[in-house]
Amino acid sequence: MGEWGSICDDEWDTYDASVLCRQLGFPGALRHTHSSQFGYGLPKIWMDNMYCVGNEKAISDCRYCTVYHA
């Protein structure tokens, strides 16, 4: 890919947030955000309909749909 993009948060939950936080070096997530709480992401959406069980090492190990909206 090599380009910045977003992860859609319409299916986002605390399991997904915990995996991403751990991947970034944090201990986990206490809660998740949704509905673009901190503003809209980039126009390119690389991952949608995320589904993590919580023990994955990286967000890319979770189930998701690959999309590209420009």
Coordinates of all heavy atoms in Angstrom, one line a residue:
M1 N 0.8 -1.2 0.0 CA 0.0 0.0 0.0 C 0.9 1.2 0.0 O 0.9 2.0 -0.9 CB -1.0 0.0 1.2 CG -2.1 -1.0 1.0 SD -3.2 -0.8 2.4 CE -3.6 -2.5 2.7
G2 N 1.6 1.5 1.1 CA 2.5 2.6 1.1 C 1.8 4.0 1.2 O 2.5 5.0 1.1
E3 N 0.5 4.0 1.5 CA -0.2 5.3 1.6 C -1.0 5.3 2.9 O -1.5 4.3 3.3 CB -1.1 5.5 0.4 CG -0.5 5.6 -0.9 CD -1.5 5.9 -2.0 OE1 -2.4 6.7 -1.8 OE2 -1.4 5.1 -3.0
W4 N -1.1 6.5 3.5 CA -2.0 6.6 4.7 C -3.4 6.4 4.3 O -3.9 6.8 3.2 CB -1.8 8.0 5.3 CG -0.5 8.1 6.0 CD1 0.7 8.6 5.6 CD2 -0.3 7.7 7.4 NE1 1.6 8.6 6.5 CE2 1.1 8.0 7.7 CE3 -1.0 7.1 8.4 CZ2 1.7 7.7 8.9 CZ3 -0.5 6.8 9.6 CH2 0.9 7.1 9.8
G5 N -4.2 5.9 5.2 CA -5.6 5.7 5.0 C -6.3 5.6 6.4 O -5.6 5.7 7.4
S6 N -7.5 5.2 6.4 CA -8.3 5.1 7.6 C -8.8 3.7 7.8 O -8.8 2.9 6.9 CB -9.5 6.1 7.5 OG -9.1 7.4 7.4
I7 N -9.3 3.5 9.0 CA -10.0 2.3 9.4 C -11.4 2.7 9.7 O -11.6 3.6 10.6 CB -9.4 1.5 10.6 CG1 -8.0 1.1 10.3 CG2 -10.3 0.4 11.0 CD1 -7.2 0.5 11.5
C8 N -12.4 2.2 9.0 CA -13.8 2.6 9.3 C -14.2 2.1 10.7 O -13.9 1.0 11.1 CB -14.7 2.0 8.2 SG -16.4 2.6 8.3
D9 N -14.9 3.0 11.4 CA -15.3 2.6 12.8 C -16.8 2.2 12.9 O -17.3 2.1 14.0 CB -15.0 3.8 13.7 CG -15.9 5.0 13.5 OD1 -16.7 5.0 12.6 OD2 -15.8 5.9 14.4
D10 N -17.4 1.9 11.8 CA -18.9 1.5 12.0 C -19.1 0.2 12.7 O -20.1 -0.1 13.2 CB -19.6 1.6 10.6 CG -19.1 0.6 9.6 OD1 -18.0 0.0 9.8 OD2 -19.7 0.5 8.5
E11 N -18.1 -0.7 12.6 CA -18.1 -2.0 13.3 C -17.1 -2.1 14.5 O -16.9 -3.1 15.0 CB -17.9 -3.2 12.4 CG -18.9 -3.3 11.2 CD -20.2 -3.8 11.6 OE1 -20.2 -4.6 12.6 OE2 -21.2 -3.5 11.0
W12 N -16.5 -1.0 14.8 CA -15.4 -0.9 15.7 C -15.9 -1.1 17.1 O -16.9 -0.7 17.6 CB -14.8 0.5 15.6 CG -13.5 0.7 16.3 CD1 -13.2 1.4 17.4 CD2 -12.2 0.3 15.8 NE1 -11.9 1.4 17.7 CE2 -11.2 0.7 16.7 CE3 -11.8 -0.5 14.7 CZ2 -9.9 0.5 16.6 CZ3 -10.4 -0.7 14.6 CH2 -9.5 -0.3 15.5
D13 N -15.1 -1.9 17.9 CA -15.4 -2.2 19.3 C -14.2 -2.2 20.2 O -13.1 -2.0 19.7 CB -16.3 -3.5 19.4 CG -15.5 -4.7 19.0 OD1 -14.3 -4.7 19.0 OD2 -16.2 -5.8 18.8
T14 N -14.3 -2.5 21.4 CA -13.2 -2.5 22.4 C -12.2 -3.5 22.1 O -11.0 -3.3 22.3 CB -13.7 -2.6 23.8 OG1 -14.7 -1.5 24.1 CG2 -12.6 -2.4 24.8
Y15 N -12.6 -4.7 21.5 CA -11.6 -5.7 21.1 C -10.7 -5.2 20.0 O -9.5 -5.3 20.1 CB -12.3 -7.0 20.6 CG -13.1 -7.7 21.7 CD1 -14.5 -7.8 21.6 CD2 -12.5 -8.2 22.8 CE1 -15.2 -8.4 22.6 CE2 -13.2 -8.9 23.8 CZ -14.6 -9.0 23.7 OH -15.3 -9.6 24.6
D16 N -11.3 -4.5 19.0 CA -10.5 -3.9 17.9 C -9.5 -2.9 18.5 O -8.4 -2.8 18.1 CB -11.4 -3.3 16.9 CG -12.5 -4.3 16.4 OD1 -12.2 -5.5 16.3 OD2 -13.6 -3.8 16.1
A17 N -10.1 -2.0 19.3 CA -9.3 -0.9 19.9 C -8.1 -1.4 20.7 O -7.0 -0.9 20.7 CB -10.1 0.0 20.7
S18 N -8.4 -2.5 21.5 CA -7.3 -3.1 22.3 C -6.2 -3.6 21.5 O -5.0 -3.5 21.8 CB -7.9 -4.2 23.2 OG -8.8 -3.6 24.2
V19 N -6.5 -4.3 20.4 CA -5.5 -4.9 19.5 C -4.6 -3.7 19.0 O -3.4 -3.8 19.0 CB -6.1 -5.7 18.4 CG1 -5.0 -6.1 17.4 CG2 -6.7 -7.0 19.0
L20 N -5.3 -2.7 18.5 CA -4.5 -1.6 17.9 C -3.7 -0.9 18.9 O -2.5 -0.5 18.7 CB -5.5 -0.6 17.2 CG -4.8 0.5 16.4 CD1 -3.8 0.0 15.4 CD2 -5.8 1.4 15.7
C21 N -4.2 -0.6 20.1 CA -3.5 0.0 21.2 C -2.2 -0.8 21.6 O -1.1 -0.2 21.7 CB -4.3 0.3 22.4 SG -5.5 1.6 22.2
R22 N -2.4 -2.1 21.7 CA -1.2 -2.9 22.0 C -0.2 -2.9 20.9 O 1.0 -2.9 21.2 CB -1.7 -4.4 22.3 CG -2.3 -4.5 23.7 CD -2.4 -6.0 24.1 NE -2.8 -6.9 23.0 CZ -4.1 -7.1 22.8 NH1 -5.1 -6.6 23.5 NH2 -4.5 -8.0 21.8
Q23 N -0.6 -2.9 19.7 CA 0.3 -2.8 18.5 C 1.1 -1.5 18.6 O 2.2 -1.5 18.2 CB -0.5 -2.9 17.2 CG 0.4 -2.9 16.0 CD -0.4 -3.0 14.7 OE1 -1.6 -3.4 14.7 NE2 0.2 -2.7 13.6
L24 N 0.5 -0.5 19.1 CA 1.2 0.8 19.2 C 2.0 1.0 20.5 O 2.5 2.0 20.7 CB 0.1 2.0 19.1 CG -0.6 2.1 17.7 CD1 -1.7 3.1 17.8 CD2 0.4 2.4 16.6
G25 N 2.0 -0.1 21.3 CA 2.8 0.0 22.5 C 2.1 0.3 23.8 O 2.8 0.5 24.8
F26 N 0.8 0.4 23.7 CA 0.0 0.7 24.9 C -0.5 -0.6 25.5 O -0.6 -1.6 24.8 CB -1.1 1.7 24.6 CG -0.7 3.0 24.1 CD1 -0.6 3.3 22.7 CD2 -0.3 4.0 25.0 CE1 -0.2 4.5 22.3 CE2 0.2 5.2 24.5 CZ 0.2 5.5 23.2
P27 N -0.9 -0.6 26.8 CA -1.3 -1.9 27.4 C -2.7 -2.4 26.9 O -3.0 -3.5 27.0 CB -1.4 -1.6 28.9 CG -1.5 -0.1 29.0 CD -0.8 0.5 27.8
G28 N -3.5 -1.5 26.3 CA -4.8 -2.0 25.8 C -5.7 -0.7 25.7 O -5.2 0.4 25.8
A29 N -7.0 -1.0 25.6 CA -8.0 0.1 25.6 C -9.0 -0.1 26.7 O -9.5 -1.2 26.9 CB -8.6 0.1 24.2
L30 N -9.4 1.0 27.3 CA -10.5 0.9 28.3 C -11.8 1.0 27.6 O -12.8 0.4 28.1 CB -10.4 2.1 29.3 CG -9.1 2.0 30.1 CD1 -9.1 3.3 31.0 CD2 -9.0 0.8 31.0
R31 N -11.9 1.7 26.5 CA -13.1 1.8 25.7 C -12.8 2.2 24.3 O -11.6 2.5 24.0 CB -14.1 2.9 26.4 CG -13.6 4.3 26.3 CD -14.5 5.3 26.9 NE -14.1 6.6 26.7 CZ -14.5 7.3 25.6 NH1 -15.3 6.8 24.7 NH2 -14.1 8.6 25.4
H32 N -13.8 2.1 23.5 CA -13.6 2.5 22.1 C -14.4 3.7 21.7 O -15.3 4.1 22.4 CB -13.9 1.3 21.2 CG -15.4 1.0 21.2 ND1 -15.9 0.3 22.2 CD2 -16.3 1.2 20.3 CE1 -17.2 0.1 21.9 NE2 -17.5 0.7 20.8
T33 N -14.1 4.3 20.6 CA -14.8 5.4 20.1 C -15.5 5.0 18.8 O -15.2 4.0 18.2 CB -14.0 6.7 19.8 OG1 -13.0 6.3 18.8 CG2 -13.2 7.1 21.0
H34 N -16.5 5.7 18.4 CA -17.2 5.4 17.1 C -17.9 6.7 16.6 O -17.8 7.7 17.2 CB -18.3 4.3 17.4 CG -19.3 4.7 18.5 ND1 -20.3 5.4 18.2 CD2 -19.2 4.3 19.8 CE1 -21.0 5.6 19.4 NE2 -20.4 4.9 20.3
S35 N -18.5 6.6 15.4 CA -19.2 7.7 14.8 C -18.3 8.9 14.6 O -18.7 10.0 14.8 CB -20.4 8.1 15.6 OG -21.3 6.9 15.7
S36 N -17.0 8.6 14.2 CA -16.1 9.7 13.9 C -16.0 10.7 15.1 O -16.0 11.9 14.9 CB -16.4 10.4 12.6 OG -16.5 9.5 11.5
Q37 N -15.9 10.2 16.3 CA -15.9 11.0 17.5 C -14.8 12.1 17.4 O -15.0 13.2 17.9 CB -15.7 10.2 18.7 CG -15.7 11.0 20.0 CD -15.7 10.1 21.2 OE1 -15.9 8.9 21.2 NE2 -15.4 10.7 22.4
F38 N -13.6 11.8 16.8 CA -12.6 12.8 16.8 C -12.4 13.4 15.4 O -11.4 13.9 15.0 CB -11.3 12.2 17.2 CG -11.3 11.8 18.7 CD1 -11.4 10.5 19.1 CD2 -11.2 12.8 19.7 CE1 -11.5 10.1 20.4 CE2 -11.3 12.5 21.0 CZ -11.4 11.1 21.4
G39 N -13.5 13.3 14.6 CA -13.4 13.9 13.2 C -13.3 12.7 12.2 O -13.0 11.6 12.5
Y40 N -13.6 13.1 11.0 CA -13.5 12.1 9.9 C -12.1 11.8 9.6 O -11.1 12.6 9.8 CB -14.2 12.7 8.6 CG -15.7 12.8 8.8 CD1 -16.3 14.0 9.0 CD2 -16.5 11.7 8.8 CE1 -17.6 14.1 9.1 CE2 -17.8 11.8 8.9 CZ -18.4 13.0 9.1 OH -19.8 13.1 9.3
G41 N -11.9 10.5 9.2 CA -10.6 10.1 8.8 C -10.2 10.5 7.4 O -10.9 11.3 6.8
L42 N -9.1 10.0 6.9 CA -8.7 10.2 5.5 C -9.7 9.7 4.5 O -10.3 8.7 4.8 CB -7.3 9.7 5.3 CG -6.2 10.3 6.2 CD1 -4.9 9.5 6.1 CD2 -6.0 11.7 5.9
P43 N -9.7 10.2 3.3 CA -10.7 9.7 2.3 C -10.4 8.2 2.0 O -11.4 7.5 1.6 CB -10.5 10.6 1.1 CG -9.8 11.8 1.7 CD -9.0 11.4 2.9
K44 N -9.2 7.8 2.0 CA -8.9 6.4 1.7 C -9.2 5.5 2.9 O -8.6 5.7 4.0 CB -7.5 6.2 1.3 CG -7.2 6.8 -0.1 CD -5.8 6.6 -0.5 CE -5.6 7.3 -1.8 NZ -4.2 7.1 -2.3
I45 N -10.1 4.6 2.8 CA -10.5 3.7 3.9 C -9.9 2.3 3.5 O -10.3 1.7 2.5 CB -12.0 3.6 4.1 CG1 -12.5 4.9 4.5 CG2 -12.3 2.5 5.2 CD1 -14.0 5.0 4.5
W46 N -8.9 1.8 4.2 CA -8.2 0.6 3.9 C -8.9 -0.6 4.5 O -8.8 -1.7 4.0 CB -6.7 0.6 4.3 CG -5.9 1.6 3.4 CD1 -5.3 2.7 3.9 CD2 -5.7 1.6 2.0 NE1 -4.7 3.4 2.9 CE2 -4.9 2.7 1.7 CE3 -6.0 0.7 1.0 CZ2 -4.4 2.9 0.4 CZ3 -5.6 1.0 -0.3 CH2 -4.8 2.1 -0.5
M47 N -9.5 -0.4 5.7 CA -10.0 -1.5 6.5 C -11.5 -1.2 6.9 O -11.7 -0.1 7.4 CB -9.2 -1.9 7.7 CG -7.7 -2.2 7.3 SD -6.7 -2.3 8.8 CE -6.5 -4.0 9.0
D48 N -12.4 -2.1 6.7 CA -13.8 -1.9 7.1 C -14.3 -3.1 7.7 O -13.8 -4.2 7.5 CB -14.6 -1.5 5.8 CG -16.0 -0.9 6.2 OD1 -16.2 -0.6 7.3 OD2 -16.7 -0.7 5.2
N49 N -15.4 -3.0 8.5 CA -16.1 -4.1 9.2 C -15.0 -5.0 9.9 O -15.0 -6.2 9.8 CB -16.8 -5.0 8.1 CG -17.9 -4.2 7.4 OD1 -18.5 -3.3 8.0 ND2 -18.1 -4.5 6.2
M50 N -14.3 -4.3 10.8 CA -13.3 -5.0 11.6 C -13.9 -6.0 12.6 O -15.0 -5.8 13.1 CB -12.5 -3.9 12.5 CG -11.8 -2.9 11.7 SD -10.5 -3.6 10.6 CE -9.5 -4.6 11.8
Y51 N -13.2 -7.1 12.8 CA -13.6 -8.1 13.8 C -12.4 -8.7 14.4 O -11.7 -9.5 13.7 CB -14.5 -9.2 13.2 CG -14.9 -10.2 14.2 CD1 -15.9 -9.9 15.1 CD2 -14.3 -11.4 14.3 CE1 -16.3 -10.8 16.1 CE2 -14.6 -12.3 15.3 CZ -15.6 -12.0 16.2 OH -16.0 -12.9 17.1
C52 N -12.0 -8.3 15.6 CA -10.9 -8.9 16.3 C -11.5 -9.6 17.5 O -12.5 -9.2 18.1 CB -10.0 -7.8 16.9 SG -9.3 -6.7 15.6
V53 N -10.9 -10.7 17.9 CA -11.3 -11.4 19.1 C -10.6 -10.9 20.3 O -11.0 -11.1 21.5 CB -11.2 -13.0 19.0 CG1 -12.1 -13.5 17.9 CG2 -9.7 -13.4 18.7
G54 N -9.5 -10.2 20.1 CA -8.8 -9.5 21.2 C -7.4 -10.0 21.5 O -6.6 -9.3 22.2
N55 N -7.0 -11.2 21.0 CA -5.7 -11.7 21.2 C -4.7 -11.6 20.0 O -3.6 -12.1 20.1 CB -5.8 -13.1 21.7 CG -6.4 -14.1 20.7 OD1 -6.8 -13.6 19.6 ND2 -6.5 -15.3 21.0
E56 N -5.1 -10.9 19.0 CA -4.3 -10.8 17.8 C -3.1 -9.9 18.2 O -3.1 -9.0 19.0 CB -5.1 -10.1 16.7 CG -6.2 -11.0 16.1 CD -7.5 -10.8 16.9 OE1 -7.5 -10.1 17.9 OE2 -8.5 -11.4 16.4
K57 N -2.0 -10.1 17.5 CA -0.7 -9.3 17.7 C -0.8 -8.0 16.9 O -0.2 -7.0 17.4 CB 0.5 -10.1 17.2 CG 0.7 -11.4 17.9 CD 1.4 -11.1 19.2 CE 1.7 -12.5 19.9 NZ 2.0 -12.3 21.3
A58 N -1.5 -7.9 15.8 CA -1.6 -6.7 15.0 C -3.0 -6.6 14.4 O -3.7 -7.6 14.3 CB -0.6 -6.8 13.9
I59 N -3.4 -5.4 14.1 CA -4.7 -5.1 13.6 C -4.9 -5.8 12.3 O -6.0 -6.3 12.0 CB -5.0 -3.6 13.5 CG1 -6.5 -3.3 13.4 CG2 -4.2 -3.0 12.4 CD1 -7.3 -3.5 14.6
S60 N -3.9 -6.0 11.5 CA -4.0 -6.7 10.2 C -4.2 -8.2 10.4 O -4.6 -8.9 9.4 CB -2.7 -6.5 9.4 OG -1.6 -7.0 10.1
D61 N -4.1 -8.8 11.6 CA -4.4 -10.2 11.9 C -5.9 -10.4 12.2 O -6.3 -11.5 12.2 CB -3.6 -10.7 13.1 CG -2.1 -10.7 12.9 OD1 -1.7 -10.8 11.8 OD2 -1.4 -10.6 13.9
C62 N -6.6 -9.3 12.3 CA -8.1 -9.4 12.5 C -8.8 -9.6 11.2 O -8.2 -9.4 10.1 CB -8.6 -8.1 13.2 SG -7.8 -7.7 14.8
R63 N -10.0 -10.0 11.3 CA -10.8 -10.2 10.1 C -11.4 -8.8 9.7 O -11.8 -8.0 10.6 CB -12.0 -11.1 10.4 CG -12.7 -11.5 9.1 CD -13.8 -12.5 9.4 NE -14.9 -11.8 10.0 CZ -15.9 -12.3 10.8 NH1 -15.8 -13.6 11.1 NH2 -16.8 -11.6 11.3
Y64 N -11.3 -8.5 8.4 CA -11.8 -7.2 7.9 C -12.0 -7.3 6.4 O -11.6 -8.2 5.8 CB -10.8 -6.1 8.3 CG -9.5 -6.2 7.6 CD1 -9.2 -5.6 6.4 CD2 -8.5 -6.9 8.2 CE1 -8.0 -5.7 5.8 CE2 -7.2 -7.0 7.6 CZ -7.0 -6.4 6.4 OH -5.8 -6.5 5.8
C65 N -12.8 -6.3 5.9 CA -12.9 -6.1 4.5 C -11.9 -5.1 4.0 O -11.8 -4.1 4.6 CB -14.4 -5.7 4.2 SG -15.6 -6.8 4.6
T66 N -11.3 -5.4 2.9 CA -10.4 -4.4 2.3 C -11.2 -3.6 1.3 O -11.9 -4.1 0.4 CB -9.3 -5.2 1.5 OG1 -8.6 -6.0 2.4 CG2 -8.3 -4.2 0.9
V67 N -11.1 -2.3 1.5 CA -11.9 -1.4 0.7 C -11.0 -0.2 0.3 O -10.0 0.0 0.9 CB -13.2 -0.9 1.4 CG1 -14.2 -2.0 1.6 CG2 -12.9 -0.1 2.7
Y68 N -11.4 0.5 -0.6 CA -10.7 1.8 -1.0 C -11.8 2.7 -1.5 O -12.4 2.5 -2.5 CB -9.7 1.5 -2.1 CG -9.1 2.8 -2.6 CD1 -8.3 3.6 -1.9 CD2 -9.5 3.2 -3.9 CE1 -7.8 4.8 -2.4 CE2 -9.0 4.4 -4.4 CZ -8.2 5.2 -3.7 OH -7.7 6.3 -4.2
H69 N -12.1 3.7 -0.6 CA -13.0 4.8 -1.0 C -12.1 6.1 -1.2 O -11.4 6.5 -0.3 CB -14.0 5.1 0.1 CG -14.9 3.9 0.3 ND1 -15.9 3.5 -0.5 CD2 -14.9 3.0 1.4 CE1 -16.5 2.5 0.0 NE2 -16.0 2.1 1.1
A70 N -12.2 6.6 -2.4 CA -11.4 7.9 -2.6 C -12.3 9.1 -2.6 O -13.5 9.0 -2.8 CB -10.7 7.8 -3.9

